[in-house]
């Protein structure tokens, strides 16, 4: 096993998969960086440092710097995918889904179904998301719930370097459009990454810890916050079953239900506003399917129903915190 | 063009205020007190001021992620801006906006914008409103050489031409969109104005590092648009001194490039040379403005630091609907 951070896991996976499969192409704004400048191509290897060296190795036909035109980027990825290539399109910020939404929503997501199941659309869209860097209302959103709600897309959110590799490999070898969400505060998170071929199947939640008293379901950065909350309540002898969803589409319903059937208590943590959210969806699913196992109403820990503010203290108040998760755990435990 | 002494001093004051605001932010950011993304405008002052000095508070502008210069030129309160960038309660947007989204509708500044290309259609909307109001007002959008590649910009230009509204497209070509050069990313041989012409709009071109040239070209343009001829565009050739965002090491720049543009294309130095050379103002006049501006920025930083943080209980205010 090698130790690397999520950023490194992504670069090395892109590198290895592009080497393995010459159909994989990469496109996005500044993925090469420096084109048309005195410094020249690869003066910068991606705004988030997730593509250095790829242009030099694979050349301009496969690593394509684009103008600022998200509709064109995602639409080109969709068309290339329909034409036998395996594009990886980068959206520097997931918020820019807004600009390219039609190409994701009405085009890419619909092809396979709309064309009678005869078509594949193996496109991976990498989206950098999440609050925590004071990037404010238009650069901090977690739009995974919106895309999870859209039939025809797979939605993936790695939390560890090993999963970043395993899930990206799976995405690149699959035949469907995948929305691959990278939390901007997690790039530096280090961990062990299996060497060689490592695929992580979609729809298989990661059991982060088993405790038996309360089921906590989370994804992305909220998994790490939930671990903190689990540590805090462990001091009082409370054991948490913590599930990292890894993918929200497909959703590992079985893992969630199995755990809730044992604990009888559910807390869902979601880094987005409450209405029509992932938290609401999972709470409803559990209420419908495991009602008789429940000892307390499911609790949702979400952001407030508002855009994301800039000021440091306001942003902290906005993001679901370990403390709020802990409070929710105690609340479902205290319910009778 | 005949600018009187007060107008010249005012223009210099606004350009200098932008420059000092930016230079100071460049230093303050190193303290770690300012979070998020800050995109500095230094180098491009002649564009913002050359254009906004000819607008009234009732003319609307729509800005970019690099919006400080447009804000100051349009008359936003400098102290309120500084507080906003520090994320303070007294900020122009109560600390919600930060550097990238500052707005002040009272002075006709409809917002910086974190979405590249997000603003151009809104300027057309402002122009539609202006035409209905019938007072000869205009809607102006600033876009970079990067933003001119966004579909929204194309759609906005076409809509403006079709509806013949008083929309003005200002293209600030500083030759970089983030770390990519216009030589690579702009397909029309780097000529952005010709795109506007392609949509059927009259377009001007000027040296955006020269306040007087920018001003004169925009005077003609504004007269044309205010006269009811429909939309128009102007492309300004300009320079940005700092990185795309604060913290960008600018590895894409050529050797000596920044020194050269600062030495040869500095709009403030060119302004000073021109007005003192023509005996319109003296060095002493301008030095006095410099001192005033420095004092203002000093106060703005001190007041921003001392201002309160927003109350976390207000985090979900102003969204029409509240959930508990
Ligand atoms: C829709 C969208 N895509 C990408 C970005 C990221 N981004 C922010 S500024 C920028 C470059 C803009 O270049 P330009 O329009 O030339 O303006 P300049 O930075 O030169 O002032 C990019 C790509 C964004 N904010 N919004």
């Amino acid at each position: 096993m090698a130790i690397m951070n999520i950023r490194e896991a992504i670069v090395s996976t892109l590198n290895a998969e592009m080497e393995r499969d010459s159909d994989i192409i990469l496109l996005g704004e500044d993925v090469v960086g420096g084109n048309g400048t005195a410094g020249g191509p690869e003066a910068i290897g991606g705004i988030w440092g997730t593509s250095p060296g790829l242009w030099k190795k694979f050349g301009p036909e496969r690593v394509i710097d684009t103008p600022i035109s998200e509709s064109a980027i995602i639409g080109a990825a969709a068309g290339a995918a329909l034409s036998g290539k395996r594009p990886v399109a980068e959206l520097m910020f997931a918020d820019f889904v807004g600009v390219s939404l039609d190409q994701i929503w009405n085009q890419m997501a619909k092809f396979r179904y709309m064309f009678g199941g005869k078509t594949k659309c193996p496109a991976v869209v990498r989206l950098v998301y999440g609050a925590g860097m004071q990037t404010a209302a238009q650069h901090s959103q977690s739009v995974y719930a919106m895309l999870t709600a859209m039939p025809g897309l797979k939605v993936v959110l790695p939390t560890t370097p090993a999963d970043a590799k395993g899930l990206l490999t799976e995405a690149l070898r699959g035949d469907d459009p995948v929305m691959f969400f990278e939390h901007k505060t997690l790039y530096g998170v280090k961990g062990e990454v299996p060497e060689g071929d490592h695929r992580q199947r979609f729809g298989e939640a990661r059991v982060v810890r088993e405790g038996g008293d309360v089921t906590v379901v989370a994804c992305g950065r909220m998994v790490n916050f939930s671990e903190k909350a689990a540590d805090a309540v462990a001091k009082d002898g409370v054991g948490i079953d913590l599930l990292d969803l890894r993918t929200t589409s497909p959703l590992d319903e079985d893992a969630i239900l199995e755990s809730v059937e044992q604990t009888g208590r559910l807390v869902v943590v979601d880094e987005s506003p409450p209405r029509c959210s992932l938290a609401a969806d999972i709470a409803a699913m559990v209420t419908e399917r495991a009602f008789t196992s429940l000892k307390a109403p499911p609790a949702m820990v979400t952001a407030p129903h508002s855009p994301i503010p800039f000021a440091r203290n306001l942003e902290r108040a906005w993001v679901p915190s370990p403390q709020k998760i802990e409070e929710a755990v105690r609340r479902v435990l205290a319910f009778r | 063009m005949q600018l009187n002494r007060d107008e010249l001093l005012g223009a210099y004051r606004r350009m200098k205020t932008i420059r000092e605001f930016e230079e100071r932010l460049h230093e303050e950011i190193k303290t770690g007190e300012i979070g998020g993304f800050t995109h500095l405008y230094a180098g491009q002052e002649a564009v913002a001021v050359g254009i906004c000095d000819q607008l009234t508070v009732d003319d609307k502008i729509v800005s970019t992620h690099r919006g400080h210069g447009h804000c100051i030129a349009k008359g936003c309160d400098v102290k309120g801006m500084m507080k906003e960038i520090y994320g303070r309660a007294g900020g122009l947007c109560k600390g919600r906006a930060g550097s990238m989204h500052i707005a002040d509708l009272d002075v006709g500044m409809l917002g910086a914008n974190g979405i590249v290309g997000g603003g151009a259609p809104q300027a057309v909307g402002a122009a539609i409103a202006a035409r209905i109001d019938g007072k000869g007002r205009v809607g102006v959008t600033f876009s970079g050489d990067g933003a001119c590649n966004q579909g929204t910009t194309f759609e906005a230009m076409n809509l403006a031409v079709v509806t013949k509204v008083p929309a003005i497209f200002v293209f600030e070509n500083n030759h970089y969109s983030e770390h990519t050069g216009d030589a690579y990313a702009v397909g029309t041989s780097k000529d952005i104005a010709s795109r506007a012409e392609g949509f059927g709009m009259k377009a001007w071109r000027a040296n955006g590092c020269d306040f007087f040239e920018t001003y004169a070209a925009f005077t003609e343009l504004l007269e044309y648009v205010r006269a009811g001829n429909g939309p128009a565009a102007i492309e300004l050739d300009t320079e940005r001194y700092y990185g795309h965002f604060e913290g960008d090491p600018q590895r894409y720049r050529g050797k000596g490039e920044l020194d050269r543009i600062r030495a040869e294309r500095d709009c403030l130095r060119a302004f000073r040379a021109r007005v003192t050379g023509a005996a319109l103002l003296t060095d002493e006049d301008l030095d006095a403005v410099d001192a005033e501006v420095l004092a203002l920025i000093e106060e703005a930083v001190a007041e921003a630091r001392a201002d309160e943080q927003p109350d976390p209980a207000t985090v979900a205010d102003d969204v029409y609907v509240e959930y508990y």
Side-chain angles (χ1 to χ4, degrees), chain B:
Chain B
M1 165 198 22
Q2 284 298 340
L3 289 175
N4 66 32
R5 188 185 149 80
D6 281 350
E7 286 166 338
L8 288 171
L9 276 173
Y12 182 76
R13 179 176 294 110
R14 283 180 279 282
M15 291 208 294
K16 184 72 180 173
T17 305
I18 298 171
R19 176 67 56 89
E20 287 305 328
F21 192 88
E22 302 288 80
E23 300 276 14
R24 186 62 187 265
L25 273 181
H26 183 66
E27 294 308 315
E28 293 303 320
I29 272 169
K30 296 173 188 157
T31 66
E33 267 189 81
I34 298 167
F37 287 119
T38 315
H39 305 88
L40 299 185
Y41 188 75
Q44 305 182 205
E45 294 86 351
V47 175
V49 177
I51 283 167
C52 293
D53 265 17
Q54 305 187 60
L55 302 175
T56 73
V57 283
D58 298 321
D59 293 313
K60 314 290 189 200
I61 68 163
V62 184
S63 174
T64 68
H65 60 289
R66 197 176 303 288
H68 305 160
H70 308 136
C71 286
I72 292 172
K74 195 69 173 54
C76 291
D77 173 42
V78 171
K79 290 181 176 177
M81 285 175 59
M82 193 64 88
K83 286 179 188 163
E84 188 58 44
I85 292 164
Y86 271 83
R88 304 301 160 134
L92 275 180
C93 304
K94 301 185 197 161
R96 299 267 185 73
S99 161
M100 242 190 318
H101 310 107
I102 298 179
D104 186 354
L105 275 70
D106 292 342
V107 299
M109 159 61 197
L110 309 193
N113 206 319
I115 303 298
V116 171
Q122 297 169 14
V124 178
I128 290 172
R131 188 172 60 184
I132 292 169
D133 293 346
K135 292 181 186 146
R137 305 302 182 209
V138 296
V140 180
T141 179
F142 291 88
S143 310
D145 45 298
C148 82
N149 296 316
Q150 194 66 283
T152 43
T153 308
F154 282 67
E155 293 173 35
M157 286 197 279
N158 194 48
L159 179 59
V161 167
V162 166
T163 55
K164 297 193 180 62
V165 292
I168 297 173
F169 297 84
V170 178
F171 293 112
E172 267 177 283
N173 188 351
N174 63 14
H175 312 289
Y176 293 94
S177 53
E178 290 197 345
H179 319 309
T180 300
D182 59 339
Y184 175 81
V186 180
T188 41
S189 335
K190 298 206 294 177
D191 180 357
I192 298 169
S194 69
R195 291 189 177 180
E197 286 162 347
F199 280 102
M201 207 182 299
K202 197 164 155 121
W204 279 256
R205 294 165 179 81
N207 174 3
C209 293
D210 181 330
F211 170 83
F212 294 96
E213 197 183 317
T214 299
Y215 193 100
F218 195 70
T219 304
E220 281 179 25
L221 182 156
L222 197 57
E223 215 168 275
Y224 171 88
V225 173
R226 290 217 204 271
N229 290 306
I234 180 168
E235 178 179 357
L236 287 322
D237 175 1
T238 182
E239 306 289 351
R240 91 163 131 75
Y241 286 175
Y242 290 108
H244 168 60
F245 53 83
E246 279 304 90
D248 164 15
Q250 304 209 64
R251 286 196 295 269
Y252 47 89
R253 294 276 192 180
K255 213 170 170 225
E257 181 179 327
L258 283 166
D259 292 339
R260 186 171 41 75
I261 59 176
R262 277 200 190 244
E264 293 171 10
R265 303 204 69 206
D266 187 74
C267 59
L268 280 162
R269 196 171 315 130
F271 186 99
R272 185 181 278 257
R274 170 83 177 269
V275 293
T276 54
L280 296 166
L281 297 172
T282 64
D283 276 319
E284 290 72 48
D285 294 331
L286 298 170
D287 291 347
V289 172
D290 288 356
E292 260 173 56
V293 167
L294 276 167
L296 170 70
I297 299 298
E298 187 64 45
E299 274 174 40
V301 170
E303 287 181 27
R305 282 222 182 95
D307 194 25
E308 280 171 29
Q309 295 195 334
D311 179 356
T314 63
V315 69
D317 287 0
D318 302 318
V319 273
Y320 311 114
V321 181
E322 254 182 74
Y323 294 103
Y324 297 96

Side-chain angles (χ1 to χ4, degrees), chain A residues 30 34-39 43 47 65 67-70 92-93 133-136 138-139 275 305-307 310-313, chain B residues 32 35-37 84-85 87 95-96 98 101 113-115 149-150 176 178-181 184 251-252 254 309-310 315 319 323:
Chain A
D30 272 319
N35 257 321
T37 71
I47 269 288
D65 244 353
I68 308 174
S69 357
E70 285 78 12
M92 197 183 290
F93 288 85
M133 283 177 60
Q134 277 193 270
T135 47
Q138 297 176 335
H139 281 66
R275 297 278 79 80
H305 183 73
S306 80
F310 165 76
R312 193 168 293 167
N313 72 323
Chain B
F37 287 119
E84 188 58 44
I85 292 164
R96 299 267 185 73
H101 310 107
N113 206 319
I115 303 298
N149 296 316
Q150 194 66 283
Y176 293 94
E178 290 197 345
H179 319 309
T180 300
Y184 175 81
R251 286 196 295 269
Y252 47 89
Q309 295 195 334
V315 69
V319 273
Y323 294 103

